[in-house]
Amino acid sequence: LIIYSDLDGTFLDYHTYSFAASLPALRRALDRGASVVFCSSKTRAEIQALQATLSLSSPFISENGGGIFIPEGFFSFELEELPREGSIRLLRLGKPYKELVTALTDVRERLGVDMRGFSDMTAEEIGQLCGLGLCESLLAKQREFDEPFLLKSNEEGLLDKICEVFAEGGMRVTRGGRLFHLTGENDKGEAIRRLTELFQRDEGNIRTVGIGDSVNDLPMLEEVDHPVLVQKPDGSYDETVLSRLPDATRAKGAGPVGWASEVMNLI
Ligand SMILES: [Mg+2]
């Protein structure tokens, strides 16, 4: 059993980023031999810090499918075709961060819209915006494949126009829990497809679960055998996801509470 999980608002509480509610279920799942793979818009640095806190050493997917990170020796076969950084093999699917930042600046000037990316903000501002401490904000700024941004205006049709211009340059805009995200043509779904192939090569017959809370999780949920949607803090489920995946399991509880209840059911 491979459990692919979003972090913000799913494994972690939307407001406090606490994993207190999901931790017992995570331990149970790991004890039963399941693999838990984080698949988030967070950066490599943020996910590594979380994994260290949890003593978790599985592969993970950063920045909305931009990068897949596999600990050396995790699979029974060699991954020599992938570049190695320290004790990690890295599969890059995303556009380099620099290109995304340049594109955001260009589009802002071309359309004259008020968009601010993480690269325009100090760590303190990111902390205030996302409810993160200074250390965590510094980790969140270490970006490789995804530029989160704020769009001040909610003028009708503006977002469509922005998306169109980015699409001409081979880029996409997705919406996470708090912010928009500018990425290359990668998404969580493609990353999961690639990683699942490796798990299959290693273990043969596997079953995949995906757990998320937002529309940026849709490509991930479409890719797994068993899609699970947790509640948002107000108790609702993401309507876009449900309209596309009406049979997705609706976990009882917001974020990590729903996460724990559904993972316990599954194992
Ligand atoms: Mg989320």
Side-chain angles (χ1 to χ4, degrees):
L1 184 69
I2 317 294
I3 301 172
Y4 291 107
S5 176
D6 172 50
L7 288 173
D8 293 348
T10 301
F11 182 78
L12 303 175
D13 183 85
Y14 180 87
H15 296 291
T16 65
Y17 298 100
S18 165
F19 51 75
S22 41
L23 186 60
L26 171 73
R27 292 277 170 253
R28 272 287 279 284
L30 297 173
D31 286 348
R32 295 290 182 89
S35 292
V36 176
V37 174
F38 292 142
C39 180
S40 168
S41 56
K42 284 188 179 299
T43 62
R44 167 197 337 212
E46 289 176 286
I47 301 175
Q48 280 178 328
L50 177 66
Q51 284 199 327
T53 310
L54 297 167
S55 306
L56 192 66
S57 55
S58 34
F60 63 89
I61 296 164
S62 76
E63 296 182 65
N64 280 312
I68 305 178
F69 300 83
I70 303 162
E72 185 82 311
F74 181 84
F75 291 118
S76 58
F77 46 83
E78 299 289 329
L79 289 166
E80 269 164 13
E81 68 278 20
L82 300 182
R84 196 172 74 178
E85 289 182 19
S87 58
I88 277 188
R89 294 277 176 182
L90 167 56
L91 179 54
R92 292 172 192 276
L93 301 171
K95 242 190 198 336
Y97 185 60
K98 259 187 152 169
E99 288 181 30
L100 299 171
V101 171
T102 305
L104 191 83
T105 311
D106 286 352
V107 170
R108 174 168 49 211
E109 282 167 13
R110 232 167 101 188
L111 301 179
V113 287
D114 193 356
M115 292 190 289
R116 294 196 71 218
F118 268 24
S119 61
D120 303 308
M121 301 179 198
T122 63
E124 286 82 359
E125 282 177 87
I126 292 171
Q128 274 182 0
L129 181 65
C130 303
L132 296 170
L134 185 59
C135 290
E136 293 152 323
S137 304
L138 288 167
L139 299 179
K141 258 180 98 66
Q142 293 178 34
R143 310 207 67 87
E144 297 170 280
F145 310 109
D146 169 325
E147 176 68 334
F149 68 94
L150 277 178
L151 178 63
K152 291 278 168 61
S153 160
N154 52 9
E155 180 194 320
E156 209 182 320
L158 180 62
L159 185 62
D160 290 342
K161 177 82 198 138
I162 291 171
C163 290
E164 229 172 77
V165 177
F166 282 131
E168 286 163 15
M171 281 163 277
R172 273 188 200 157
V173 175
T174 54
R175 190 175 217 146
R178 282 182 173 79
L179 296 147
F180 294 104
H181 292 263
L182 178 63
T183 63
E185 282 170 335
N186 53 286
D187 61 30
K188 289 185 175 191
E190 187 197 352
I192 277 175
R193 224 165 20 248
R194 303 285 285 262
L195 192 50
T196 298
E197 277 170 20
L198 297 176
F199 273 109
Q200 256 156 3
R201 212 166 112 196
D202 198 43
E203 302 182 32
N205 199 10
I206 56 167
R207 247 186 101 65
T208 56
V209 174
I211 315 181
D213 72 318
S214 292
V215 72
N216 68 331
D217 298 312
L218 184 60
M220 163 175 87
L221 299 177
E222 285 176 329
E223 205 53 51
V224 294
D225 301 321
H226 185 81
V228 178
L229 197 56
V230 297
Q231 291 170 0
K232 298 198 180 260
D234 66 2
S236 67
Y237 295 96
D238 189 287
E239 283 185 14
T240 313
V241 176
L242 278 187
S243 68
R244 293 278 294 275
L245 284 173
D247 295 331
T249 298
R250 296 167 203 213
K252 289 182 186 67
V257 175
W259 197 96
S261 103
E262 191 50 31
V263 167
M264 290 305 226
N265 276 346
L266 281 165
I267 56 176

